[in-house]
PDB file of all heavy atoms in Angstrom:
ATOM      1  N   SER A 339     -10.595  -7.497   2.268  1.00  0.00           N
ATOM      2  CA  SER A 339     -12.032  -7.844   2.238  1.00  0.00           C
ATOM      3  C   SER A 339     -12.424  -8.378   0.829  1.00  0.00           C
ATOM      4  O   SER A 339     -13.241  -9.207   0.585  1.00  0.00           O
ATOM      5  CB  SER A 339     -12.799  -6.597   2.491  1.00  0.00           C
ATOM      6  OG  SER A 339     -14.284  -6.743   2.282  1.00  0.00           O
ATOM      7  N   MET A 340     -11.654  -7.858  -0.219  1.00  0.00           N
ATOM      8  CA  MET A 340     -11.909  -8.244  -1.612  1.00  0.00           C
ATOM      9  C   MET A 340     -11.407  -9.663  -1.844  1.00  0.00           C
ATOM     10  O   MET A 340     -11.968 -10.430  -2.526  1.00  0.00           O
ATOM     11  CB  MET A 340     -11.154  -7.262  -2.537  1.00  0.00           C
ATOM     12  CG  MET A 340     -11.555  -5.878  -2.486  1.00  0.00           C
ATOM     13  SD  MET A 340     -10.599  -4.680  -3.418  1.00  0.00           S
ATOM     14  CE  MET A 340     -10.963  -5.157  -5.174  1.00  0.00           C
ATOM     15  N   LEU A 341     -10.297  -9.991  -1.207  1.00  0.00           N
ATOM     16  CA  LEU A 341      -9.623 -11.309  -1.534  1.00  0.00           C
ATOM     17  C   LEU A 341     -10.367 -12.508  -0.994  1.00  0.00           C
ATOM     18  O   LEU A 341     -10.250 -13.570  -1.561  1.00  0.00           O
ATOM     19  CB  LEU A 341      -8.191 -11.272  -0.956  1.00  0.00           C
ATOM     20  CG  LEU A 341      -7.266 -10.345  -1.608  1.00  0.00           C
ATOM     21  CD1 LEU A 341      -5.944 -10.470  -0.835  1.00  0.00           C
ATOM     22  CD2 LEU A 341      -7.110 -10.581  -3.071  1.00  0.00           C
ATOM     23  N   TYR A 342     -11.157 -12.309   0.051  1.00  0.00           N
ATOM     24  CA  TYR A 342     -11.718 -13.485   0.684  1.00  0.00           C
ATOM     25  C   TYR A 342     -13.281 -13.343   0.881  1.00  0.00           C
ATOM     26  O   TYR A 342     -13.775 -12.275   1.178  1.00  0.00           O
ATOM     27  CB  TYR A 342     -11.043 -13.595   2.153  1.00  0.00           C
ATOM     28  CG  TYR A 342      -9.590 -13.720   2.079  1.00  0.00           C
ATOM     29  CD1 TYR A 342      -8.846 -12.551   2.402  1.00  0.00           C
ATOM     30  CD2 TYR A 342      -8.907 -14.917   1.836  1.00  0.00           C
ATOM     31  CE1 TYR A 342      -7.451 -12.645   2.386  1.00  0.00           C
ATOM     32  CE2 TYR A 342      -7.539 -15.016   1.806  1.00  0.00           C
ATOM     33  CZ  TYR A 342      -6.798 -13.815   2.133  1.00  0.00           C
ATOM     34  OH  TYR A 342      -5.441 -13.858   2.111  1.00  0.00           O
ATOM     35  N   THR A 343     -13.911 -14.390   0.879  1.00  0.00           N
ATOM     36  CA  THR A 343     -15.355 -14.342   0.922  1.00  0.00           C
ATOM     37  C   THR A 343     -15.731 -14.118   2.516  1.00  0.00           C
ATOM     38  O   THR A 343     -16.825 -13.742   2.811  1.00  0.00           O
ATOM     39  CB  THR A 343     -16.113 -15.603   0.520  1.00  0.00           C
ATOM     40  OG1 THR A 343     -15.484 -16.773   1.156  1.00  0.00           O
ATOM     41  CG2 THR A 343     -15.963 -15.871  -0.964  1.00  0.00           C
ATOM     42  N   HIS A 344     -14.799 -14.374   3.393  1.00  0.00           N
ATOM     43  CA  HIS A 344     -15.000 -14.029   4.761  1.00  0.00           C
ATOM     44  C   HIS A 344     -14.504 -12.630   5.158  1.00  0.00           C
ATOM     45  O   HIS A 344     -14.586 -12.223   6.210  1.00  0.00           O
ATOM     46  CB  HIS A 344     -14.378 -15.136   5.797  1.00  0.00           C
ATOM     47  CG  HIS A 344     -12.851 -15.331   5.425  1.00  0.00           C
ATOM     48  ND1 HIS A 344     -11.947 -14.299   5.386  1.00  0.00           N
ATOM     49  CD2 HIS A 344     -12.253 -16.478   5.150  1.00  0.00           C
ATOM     50  CE1 HIS A 344     -10.704 -14.898   5.149  1.00  0.00           C
ATOM     51  NE2 HIS A 344     -10.907 -16.201   4.983  1.00  0.00           N
ATOM     52  N   HIS A 345     -13.922 -12.013   4.094  1.00  0.00           N
ATOM     53  CA  HIS A 345     -13.548 -10.557   4.192  1.00  0.00           C
ATOM     54  C   HIS A 345     -12.419 -10.336   5.245  1.00  0.00           C
ATOM     55  O   HIS A 345     -12.170  -9.215   5.735  1.00  0.00           O
ATOM     56  CB  HIS A 345     -14.719  -9.661   4.332  1.00  0.00           C
ATOM     57  CG  HIS A 345     -15.822  -9.937   3.444  1.00  0.00           C
ATOM     58  ND1 HIS A 345     -15.680  -9.703   2.102  1.00  0.00           N
ATOM     59  CD2 HIS A 345     -17.053 -10.478   3.559  1.00  0.00           C
ATOM     60  CE1 HIS A 345     -16.711 -10.209   1.424  1.00  0.00           C
ATOM     61  NE2 HIS A 345     -17.665 -10.540   2.371  1.00  0.00           N
ATOM     62  N   GLY A 346     -11.698 -11.348   5.584  1.00  0.00           N
ATOM     63  CA  GLY A 346     -10.636 -11.226   6.495  1.00  0.00           C
ATOM     64  C   GLY A 346     -10.990 -11.327   7.936  1.00  0.00           C
ATOM     65  O   GLY A 346     -10.072 -11.240   8.722  1.00  0.00           O
ATOM     66  N   TYR A 347     -12.193 -11.624   8.256  1.00  0.00           N
ATOM     67  CA  TYR A 347     -12.596 -11.776   9.630  1.00  0.00           C
ATOM     68  C   TYR A 347     -12.407 -13.155  10.075  1.00  0.00           C
ATOM     69  O   TYR A 347     -13.348 -13.852  10.321  1.00  0.00           O
ATOM     70  CB  TYR A 347     -14.112 -11.228   9.777  1.00  0.00           C
ATOM     71  CG  TYR A 347     -14.226  -9.790   9.656  1.00  0.00           C
ATOM     72  CD1 TYR A 347     -14.319  -9.163   8.368  1.00  0.00           C
ATOM     73  CD2 TYR A 347     -14.113  -9.017  10.838  1.00  0.00           C
ATOM     74  CE1 TYR A 347     -14.321  -7.780   8.338  1.00  0.00           C
ATOM     75  CE2 TYR A 347     -14.214  -7.569  10.722  1.00  0.00           C
ATOM     76  CZ  TYR A 347     -14.317  -6.915   9.431  1.00  0.00           C
ATOM     77  OH  TYR A 347     -14.335  -5.566   9.387  1.00  0.00           O
ATOM     78  N   VAL A 348     -11.061 -13.615  10.151  1.00  0.00           N
ATOM     79  CA  VAL A 348     -10.848 -14.914  10.834  1.00  0.00           C
ATOM     80  C   VAL A 348      -9.727 -14.679  11.779  1.00  0.00           C
ATOM     81  O   VAL A 348      -9.055 -13.568  11.818  1.00  0.00           O
ATOM     82  CB  VAL A 348     -10.293 -15.858   9.693  1.00  0.00           C
ATOM     83  CG1 VAL A 348     -11.422 -16.230   8.762  1.00  0.00           C
ATOM     84  CG2 VAL A 348      -9.198 -15.354   8.892  1.00  0.00           C
ATOM     85  N   ASP A 349      -9.521 -15.692  12.722  1.00  0.00           N
ATOM     86  CA  ASP A 349      -8.485 -15.444  13.751  1.00  0.00           C
ATOM     87  C   ASP A 349      -7.074 -15.574  13.299  1.00  0.00           C
ATOM     88  O   ASP A 349      -6.155 -14.963  13.690  1.00  0.00           O
ATOM     89  CB  ASP A 349      -8.742 -16.554  14.837  1.00  0.00           C
ATOM     90  CG  ASP A 349     -10.062 -16.321  15.630  1.00  0.00           C
ATOM     91  OD1 ASP A 349     -10.489 -15.036  15.584  1.00  0.00           O
ATOM     92  OD2 ASP A 349     -10.697 -17.217  16.039  1.00  0.00           O
ATOM     93  N   ASP A 350      -6.902 -16.383  12.233  1.00  0.00           N
ATOM     94  CA  ASP A 350      -5.438 -16.738  11.837  1.00  0.00           C
ATOM     95  C   ASP A 350      -5.379 -16.926  10.372  1.00  0.00           C
ATOM     96  O   ASP A 350      -6.268 -17.525   9.749  1.00  0.00           O
ATOM     97  CB  ASP A 350      -5.021 -17.886  12.580  1.00  0.00           C
ATOM     98  CG  ASP A 350      -3.564 -18.192  12.381  1.00  0.00           C
ATOM     99  OD1 ASP A 350      -2.799 -17.270  12.067  1.00  0.00           O
ATOM    100  OD2 ASP A 350      -3.166 -19.394  12.447  1.00  0.00           O
TER     101      ASP A 350
END
Side-chain angles (χ1 to χ4, degrees):
S339 177
M340 299 171 72
L341 295 179
Y342 307 99
T343 55
H344 53 57
H345 309 298
Y347 287 84
V348 294
D349 293 331
D350 183 29

